[in-house]
Amino acid sequence: RRFLADVSHELRTPLTVIKGEVGLLRKIGELDPESLHSIESEVDRLSRLVGDLLLLGQAESGKLLLDQVPIELERLLAEVLQPMEKLVAGRLDLRAVEVEPVTVMGDHDRLKQVLINLISNAIQHTPNGGSVSITLRSSGDGAQLSIRDTGSGIPAEDLPHIFERFYRGEKSRKRTPGGGFGLGLSISYWIMKNKRGTIDVTSHEGVGTTFVVWLPLKM
């Protein structure tokens, strides 16, 4: 019941915005660039939500198959970081501070999705002038990827729940521009769990948050 209520809420918000903008366009009788941009943005949000819900549905029903191919994780990280660095240029410091070449077995698209989810989340919660630093190194028989931000941090009472679908702590229930749907971390957790990997988090309010991903190396 809670899940259905959350989905309904998430769908209602962009649909309400779209309906309002279409009503405005009809009233003024001409195309308005800002209204069209708003509609396009909300449609993108709906598409992401529906895509994430379909992915979770397939995962939980056992119908989502993951590839097992060698992936050079440092190349995948560069692939994700390059466009993001351009987007945040001048707002905050986003960089890979240490990168070792490591190869893991996995699904390219799903691992890329994990990186995008975690890095985007760090950027979203880091104020102007802050930093998001990333390290990739071999650790024993695995690859360890750390994403550290100097953002607002996560309250201790919320930490045990952040990988739950649609979970939001009281302080973060107000959506920020470009905010997620509370599915990104849940999806990332599922992907890592099914790749024999782990994903952990440590955080301190007012200091920042660090996510650590571990994946077994290609043998």
Side-chain angles (χ1 to χ4, degrees), residues 124-125 174-180:
Q124 177 187 336
H125 293 95
K174 293 182 179 179
R175 182 181 303 284
T176 56

Side-chain angles (χ1 to χ4, degrees), residues 30-72:
E30 61 183 39
L31 295 180
D32 176 64
E34 290 188 9
S35 292
L36 290 176
H37 176 75
S38 179
I39 291 172
E40 184 178 39
S41 177
E42 297 303 322
V43 169
D44 287 343
R45 284 176 57 192
L46 283 172
S47 297
R48 288 195 301 271
L49 174 59
V50 171
D52 286 346
L53 288 171
L54 287 173
L55 176 62
L56 281 176
Q58 289 177 317
E60 294 183 354
S61 66
K63 296 180 180 179
L64 181 66
L65 300 178
L66 299 178
D67 289 336
Q68 284 288 342
V69 299
I71 297 174
E72 296 177 341

Side-chain angles (χ1 to χ4, degrees), residues 73-89 92-99 112 115-116 118-120 122-123 132-136 145-147:
L73 209 51
E74 73 280 5
R75 289 180 178 269
L76 182 60
L77 177 60
E79 185 181 323
V80 170
L81 277 181
Q82 188 174 12
M84 288 187 172
E85 288 172 336
K86 295 178 181 179
L87 287 175
V88 303
L92 53 83
D93 182 22
L94 170 65
R95 69 175 67 186
V97 296
E98 178 186 351
V99 176
K112 183 175 182 179
L115 296 185
I116 290 175
L118 295 179
I119 297 173
S120 297
I123 291 172
V132 177
S133 56
I134 300 161
T135 62
L136 173 62
L145 177 75
S146 300
I147 302 167

Side-chain angles (χ1 to χ4, degrees), residues 99-127:
V99 176
E100 292 181 10
V102 290
T103 301
V104 300
M105 296 295 292
D107 185 300
H108 176 278
D109 291 343
R110 296 309 172 206
L111 288 181
K112 183 175 182 179
Q113 186 174 9
V114 171
L115 296 185
I116 290 175
N117 283 342
L118 295 179
I119 297 173
S120 297
N121 189 68
I123 291 172
Q124 177 187 336
H125 293 95
T126 300

